[in-house]
Amino acid sequence: GQNIDQPTEMTATEGAIVQINCTYQTSGFNGLFWYQQHAGEAPTFLSYNVLDGLEEKGRFSSFLSRSKGYSYLLLKELQMKDSASYLCAVRGTGGFKTIFGAGTRLFVKA
Amino acid sequence: GAVVSQHPSWVICKSGTSVKIECRSLDFQATTMFWYRQFPKQSLMLMATSNEGSKATYEQGVEKDKFLINHASLTLSTLTVTSAHPEDSSFYICSARDAASGSDEQYFGPGTRLTVT
């Protein structure tokens, strides 16, 4: 079966750093994505990891460990506009089908 | 970046009627598009994979006779919700991959909010 787990909600303070974890068990693996989604809007792409290690892109970094079935999204210098849902998604092998986790709702407080 | 559009952005229909939602890749060709459904405060649930020129592949539990998918060209896929019921009210999102670019990114449309009364 396929299973993607991430915390339901997190709260952090403006200017701080927050780490959102994601663990997955899938029948095949061809990459892990992180998306940001504001309420009522479509997801927007944040990062893509297919090899182990850390990918940094501005205030956002994403880490992957394929052997552990684990990834995290790191957000630095949090801003109020970062309040959103963060979706972890795994692409399987063959057909590029992507399965999404339930998402983590992040609340950034002043 | 690549752009995916959806039409309409929102629609209200009566129970028992059918509704067609279009998904277009505006500046790239997409041999494969994906249709997702998202209920409030839940994540995206993959409904089906739409393949240009062939039948769609539906996920387990999704009724192919109720959710008709047509991918007649490399830039257009349509999802028709037939005999809609209030429980079909949801946010429907399509996505597409620009295979020619070599990018692994999946581009999402802005979504269509369907309300069935």
Side-chain angles (χ1 to χ4, degrees):
Chain A
Q2 303 191 98
N3 195 44
I4 301 174
D5 288 318
Q6 47 182 134
T8 305
E9 290 185 358
M10 298 183 71
T11 301
T13 305
E14 190 176 19
I17 299 173
V18 69
Q19 178 175 313
I20 303 174
N21 296 322
C22 171
T23 58
Y24 64 90
Q25 291 176 311
T26 56
S27 55
F29 181 83
N30 193 22
L32 185 143
F33 298 81
W34 283 97
Y35 288 88
Q36 180 191 62
Q37 186 179 28
H38 286 98
E41 299 180 8
T44 55
F45 172 82
L46 291 178
S47 68
Y48 170 67
N49 295 69
V50 66
L51 300 176
D52 290 350
L54 186 69
E55 295 279 344
E56 297 186 76
K57 189 185 296 184
R59 293 191 300 116
F60 297 83
S61 302
S62 58
F63 172 83
L64 174 67
S65 169
R66 289 171 296 170
S67 62
K68 296 182 179 179
Y70 168 70
S71 172
Y72 68 72
L73 178 70
L74 194 70
L75 292 78
K76 304 174 185 176
E77 301 170 13
L78 279 173
Q79 302 175 9
M80 299 298 287
K81 67 178 182 179
D82 296 330
S83 293
S85 286
Y86 291 86
L87 310 177
C88 173
V90 175
R91 173 173 288 166
T93 52
F96 293 94
K97 186 169 73 173
T98 303
I99 304 299
F100 283 76
T104 299
R105 296 178 68 196
L106 175 65
F107 299 94
V108 180
K109 58 182 183 180
Chain B
V3 178
V4 175
S5 70
Q6 280 184 242
H7 177 80
S9 56
W10 60 270
V11 58
I12 301 173
C13 71
K14 292 185 177 180
S15 185
T17 62
S18 295
V19 174
K20 180 186 286 188
I21 302 171
E22 294 184 348
C23 176
R24 292 181 185 273
S25 56
L26 298 186
D27 49 3
F28 67 99
Q29 293 183 330
T31 54
T32 303
M33 291 182 173
F34 302 92
W35 285 98
Y36 293 86
R37 180 169 53 183
Q38 185 175 35
F39 292 107
K41 297 186 178 180
Q42 296 185 24
S43 190
L44 281 72
M45 297 299 296
L46 180 65
M47 299 176 67
T49 301
S50 172
N51 304 298
E52 187 269 335
S54 65
K55 292 182 179 180
T57 304
Y58 290 82
E59 294 301 301
Q60 190 173 8
V62 178
E63 301 175 57
K64 62 179 181 180
D65 294 330
K66 180 173 180 61
F67 298 99
L68 302 179
I69 291 174
N70 186 288
H71 195 153
S73 77
L74 286 170
T75 59
L76 173 65
S77 175
T78 60
L79 168 68
T80 301
V81 183
T82 62
S83 186
H85 291 287
E87 55 264 33
D88 297 326
S89 298
S90 186
F91 193 45
Y92 292 86
I93 307 175
C94 71
S95 72
R97 178 175 168 268
D98 183 3
S101 72
S103 169
D104 290 286
E105 186 172 343
Q106 191 169 268
Y107 301 97
F108 282 87
T112 298
R113 187 162 301 281
L114 169 64
T115 301
V116 184
T117 61

